[in-house]
Amino acid sequence: LQNRPPITEKREREREREREEKREGEGEGEGEGEEEQVVNPWTVSAKGGGKIDYDKLIDQFGCQRIDQSLVDRIHRLTSRTPHVFLRRGVFFAHRPLSRCLLDLNEILDAHERGEKFYLYTGRGPSSEALHLGHLIPFMFTKYLQEAFKVPLVIQLTDDEKCMWKDLTVEESQRLARENAKDIIACGFDVTRTFIFSDFDYVGGAFYKNMVKVGKCVTYNKAVGIFGFTGEDHIGKISFPPVQAVPSFPSSFPHLFGGQDNLRCLIPCAIDQDPYFRMTRDVAPRIGYQKPALIESSFFPAMQGENAKMSASDPNSAIYVTDSAKEIKNKINRYAFSGGQDSIEKHRELGANLEVDIPFKYLSFFLDDDAKLEEIRKEYGAGRMLTGEVKQLLIQVLTELVERHRRARAAVTDEVSFWG
């Protein structure tokens, strides 16, 4: 023991990094073997076509649930009523910011000290128009930007969709421009928001960070995180650093020059978590802070949570281009009901709210907590009928889509965003 060489500071850092890699690597390889559910950026499915088990997903990904104390703290710091998506657990989990249980609270600690952070979210443009599920991260990000008065970068991964979908480069770019109009229509602060497409922006400091990230991730590590196979082309394997580096302020020197320690908070759906598990593993190794995440559950398809929204099935979702007549028709014909087969049976047993899509959609988009609770009680007890709930949902969604359509019509090519 006396002759054993001392543990150098460098070796101790290496050991700590190895331990951290092991922690960050927990839950990797989703989709391999006999996993009950597959959740990654390209595939979301549960075994036997059932519902996603979010408790298992939290354990698998190593996330933490957002509790009421965290919601209350955000309320206190911003002096604003927490967003409906936060109050009702749509955004339900977050990623620790760094080791030793430091998490979203560290972002709030920094805010209380007067230190800034920035937001980063994105969109993979693969369809002509967005559906309501696509709007959720942008609606929530707008609230965060307004509440904390912070900068925001929005990445359009037109390169990713070109590589994963049967799209040409030109078509991917066109869809990115169309989707950008819908994103702008959400009403972000033009003086604090930078929207960019990968095809147009990647290069310079951004590309340098991509190379730094790429050198830190082995092929085997990438296979473990993303499930790549020998049949995947090398474009897919090279993409993850592109989505990783907007987490680092040095990727945007014209926005954050000299602020390389600026913290980053990423609102996203939980299927994007693999990208940022990789990012958080790499960040300290290249001298950057780990990003923090606040993650949402999935928006259910019209036919039920066991179904899947699909661009090939326009009846699986409400799109921002749908007319009032189309919204009414889709909800009345396709929205899966938890009501009973007959009025008599419904009055006796009430609706099954766990599977009822009209009620679930109202829980996303009806801001009035008291009204939603009244519906929960009355519909669940059978005193309110499915037709009444659907009628209210038609009204709420028609107003939402009409507001969005008017805002989008005001977006011109001359609209200029910060940066």
Side-chain angles (χ1 to χ4, degrees), residues 95-241:
R95 266 279 176 184
L97 185 62
S98 54
R99 295 187 294 271
C100 304
L101 301 181
L102 296 176
D103 52 21
L104 185 57
N105 278 299
E106 185 168 317
I107 289 275
L108 302 181
D109 290 342
H111 177 75
E112 278 197 295
R113 295 192 298 266
E115 299 173 15
K116 291 292 185 181
F117 64 92
Y118 74 100
L119 298 165
Y120 156 40
T121 194
R123 161 77 182 143
S126 60
S127 60
E128 193 81 29
L130 306 188
H131 59 59
L132 295 184
H134 294 145
L135 283 186
I136 285 171
F138 296 110
M139 295 170 70
F140 187 65
T141 300
K142 177 178 180 288
Y143 152 77
L144 291 174
Q145 184 184 53
E146 290 179 345
F148 290 100
K149 298 178 175 58
V150 292
L152 162 66
V153 297
I154 299 176
Q155 180 182 40
L156 299 172
T157 56
D158 41 10
D159 52 342
E160 176 197 22
K161 293 308 174 184
C162 178
M163 289 186 284
W164 262 269
K165 302 288 185 177
D166 186 21
L167 297 172
T168 64
V169 169
E170 293 73 22
E171 179 66 3
S172 296
Q173 289 181 297
R174 187 187 71 81
L175 293 176
R177 288 191 293 271
E178 291 303 308
N179 285 189
K181 294 176 183 177
D182 279 319
I183 293 168
I184 292 169
C186 291
F188 295 105
D189 182 346
V190 297
T191 66
R192 289 192 174 105
T193 304
F194 178 54
I195 302 176
F196 68 98
S197 78
D198 289 341
F199 278 135
D200 291 335
Y201 187 75
V202 170
F206 193 99
Y207 184 68
K208 290 177 184 177
N209 277 338
M210 285 170 50
V211 171
K212 292 178 183 178
V213 170
K215 288 179 67 176
C216 290
V217 183
T218 66
Y219 174 73
N220 286 340
K221 184 80 169 178
V223 168
I225 296 173
F226 299 105
F228 296 131
T229 71
E231 301 303 311
D232 286 313
H233 59 70
I234 61 174
K236 292 182 178 182
I237 298 163
S238 68
F239 175 76

Side-chain angles (χ1 to χ4, degrees), residues 120-394:
Y120 156 40
T121 194
R123 161 77 182 143
S126 60
S127 60
E128 193 81 29
L130 306 188
H131 59 59
L132 295 184
H134 294 145
L135 283 186
I136 285 171
F138 296 110
M139 295 170 70
F140 187 65
T141 300
K142 177 178 180 288
Y143 152 77
L144 291 174
Q145 184 184 53
E146 290 179 345
F148 290 100
K149 298 178 175 58
V150 292
L152 162 66
V153 297
I154 299 176
Q155 180 182 40
L156 299 172
T157 56
D158 41 10
D159 52 342
E160 176 197 22
K161 293 308 174 184
C162 178
M163 289 186 284
W164 262 269
K165 302 288 185 177
D166 186 21
L167 297 172
T168 64
V169 169
E170 293 73 22
E171 179 66 3
S172 296
Q173 289 181 297
R174 187 187 71 81
L175 293 176
R177 288 191 293 271
E178 291 303 308
N179 285 189
K181 294 176 183 177
D182 279 319
I183 293 168
I184 292 169
C186 291
F188 295 105
D189 182 346
V190 297
T191 66
R192 289 192 174 105
T193 304
F194 178 54
I195 302 176
F196 68 98
S197 78
D198 289 341
F199 278 135
D200 291 335
Y201 187 75
V202 170
F206 193 99
Y207 184 68
K208 290 177 184 177
N209 277 338
M210 285 170 50
V211 171
K212 292 178 183 178
V213 170
K215 288 179 67 176
C216 290
V217 183
T218 66
Y219 174 73
N220 286 340
K221 184 80 169 178
V223 168
I225 296 173
F226 299 105
F228 296 131
T229 71
E231 301 303 311
D232 286 313
H233 59 70
I234 61 174
K236 292 182 178 182
I237 298 163
S238 68
F239 175 76
V242 185
Q243 187 156 324
V245 301
S247 307
F248 310 138
S250 63
S251 297
F252 307 100
H254 69 298
L255 306 180
F256 307 127
Q259 302 180 69
D260 289 357
N261 287 321
L262 196 64
R263 292 171 173 84
C264 177
L265 174 62
I266 305 171
C268 62
I270 198 167
D271 61 332
Q272 299 300 301
D273 190 90
Y275 280 120
F276 301 111
R277 284 207 307 279
M278 181 197 76
T279 306
R280 287 164 42 78
D281 171 47
V282 169
R285 298 161 62 183
I286 58 177
Y288 297 137
Q289 294 207 57
K290 296 184 179 185
L293 274 71
I294 182 166
E295 300 175 318
S296 72
S297 55
F298 303 117
F299 190 67
M302 293 282 287
Q303 289 80 1
E305 287 192 283
N306 296 349
K308 182 182 179 182
M309 287 189 185
S310 172
S312 61
D313 181 7
N315 295 319
S316 65
I318 303 294
Y319 285 80
V320 295
T321 52
D322 285 346
S323 66
K325 182 178 180 180
E326 287 171 324
I327 293 171
K328 180 179 180 180
N329 181 60
K330 284 184 179 182
I331 292 172
N332 282 333
R333 291 188 62 185
Y334 302 109
F336 186 82
S337 170
Q340 304 301 327
D341 296 336
S342 67
I343 292 179
E344 293 75 15
K345 194 174 180 181
H346 183 81
R347 297 293 190 197
E348 177 188 356
L349 301 176
N352 180 356
L353 302 184
E354 288 298 311
V355 301
D356 191 90
I357 290 299
F359 180 77
K360 286 183 179 293
Y361 277 25
L362 284 173
S363 71
F364 276 77
F365 297 114
L366 179 62
D367 191 62
D368 189 329
D369 290 338
K371 181 66 175 177
L372 185 70
E373 184 58 28
E374 178 187 354
I375 296 169
R376 183 193 306 276
K377 291 179 179 178
E378 295 298 304
Y379 191 35
R383 292 186 291 270
M384 192 174 190
L385 300 177
T386 298
E388 297 174 83
V389 178
K390 286 188 173 183
Q391 185 57 42
L392 179 58
L393 178 63
I394 290 168

